[in-house]
Amino acid sequence: MHTHYHMTIAGCERDLPICPLNDKLSIAAFVIFGDCELTQACATELLKRAPEYDYMITAESKGIPLIYEMARQAGDKKWLLARKGTKIYMRDVISVDVRSITTDHVQTLYLDGEDAALMRGKRILIVDDVISTGESLHALETLVNTVGGKICGRMTILAEGDAQNREDLIYLEKLPIFDSEGNVIG
């Protein structure tokens, strides 16, 4: 049985733990939290491929270190965040429901009204760490479209499973899915 999947991402070698989703399907867990070397390298490589944009947006929470580092390297003064919960300082909140492959229930993403106003008529680059089923991506697209932003690109570090076949997605590496024994199946 395979317990890890070895890959090179933006020049960094990593062993990703293989985790079961159900009796037949497993995924390799990719978490950039705490990995400054990998986050910086991925941000650099994604920025080389990024289209022109006015603002970047990601969903809470695993995309946060990546979008922060991309914005820092690009000299951006602001990036946007779709949160998993509202905060007392948020006003005129816009929300959309999402079901992610790594979450066992429907979640709601929330966007602050001030951020929504900034996006209106602007080129918005959607950024995430891994795109798999595309549900989180779809939720972000819905938020951007709802507030009148213009999606100029969709970027991720890893495209998992069917996401590898998307022509509208810019990514660094393909991440396969696995059977219950940790063997690559797609």
Side-chain angles (χ1 to χ4, degrees):
M1 180 160 167
H2 302 281
T3 60
H4 288 80
Y5 180 72
H6 183 83
M7 60 186 308
T8 302
I9 310 159
C12 301
E13 291 191 36
R14 296 294 184 270
D15 289 314
L16 308 182
I18 297 176
C19 304
L21 282 180
N22 56 43
D23 296 359
K24 298 177 182 173
L25 188 65
S26 296
I27 60 170
F30 178 71
V31 181
I32 59 175
F33 287 134
D35 193 333
C36 296
E37 176 190 38
L38 183 60
T39 303
Q40 291 168 0
C42 290
T44 298
E45 291 306 310
L46 285 171
L47 284 171
K48 290 177 184 176
R49 303 173 191 193
E52 288 189 28
Y53 64 90
D54 296 306
Y55 294 104
M56 292 185 288
I57 188 169
T58 195
E60 194 174 36
S61 67
K62 287 177 23 185
I64 292 174
L66 175 63
I67 199 169
Y68 170 83
E69 182 60 21
M70 288 175 70
R72 189 192 69 75
Q73 288 183 23
D76 297 343
K77 293 182 180 178
K78 183 164 182 69
W79 54 271
L80 307 171
L81 178 63
R83 301 198 61 125
K84 289 182 180 176
T86 58
K87 301 296 179 185
I88 60 171
Y89 55 80
M90 295 172 74
R91 302 284 184 261
D92 304 317
V93 175
I94 296 154
S95 66
V96 66
D97 290 336
V98 60
R99 177 179 283 282
S100 169
I101 192 172
T102 56
T103 310
D104 63 356
H105 60 281
V106 174
Q107 293 183 326
T108 304
L109 292 179
Y110 301 91
L111 184 65
D112 185 272
E114 285 186 26
D115 289 344
L118 286 175
M119 292 188 343
R120 199 163 293 118
K122 301 292 190 211
R123 298 169 297 181
I124 307 300
L125 179 59
I126 298 173
V127 176
D128 207 349
D129 64 328
V130 178
I131 294 177
S132 184
T133 64
E135 291 298 320
S136 298
L137 176 62
H138 178 70
L140 285 169
E141 290 171 336
T142 300
L143 279 174
V144 172
N145 290 328
T146 298
V147 302
K150 300 174 185 174
I151 298 168
C152 65
R154 297 152 184 87
M155 302 193 89
T156 187
I157 298 170
L158 302 176
E160 183 176 51
D162 290 342
Q164 300 169 20
N165 302 322
R166 292 183 62 144
E167 293 183 11
D168 64 336
L169 193 59
I170 301 166
Y171 60 90
L172 298 181
E173 299 294 337
K174 295 178 179 183
L175 181 61
I177 54 176
F178 306 85
D179 65 16
S180 62
E181 297 296 313
N183 299 305
V184 172
I185 58 174

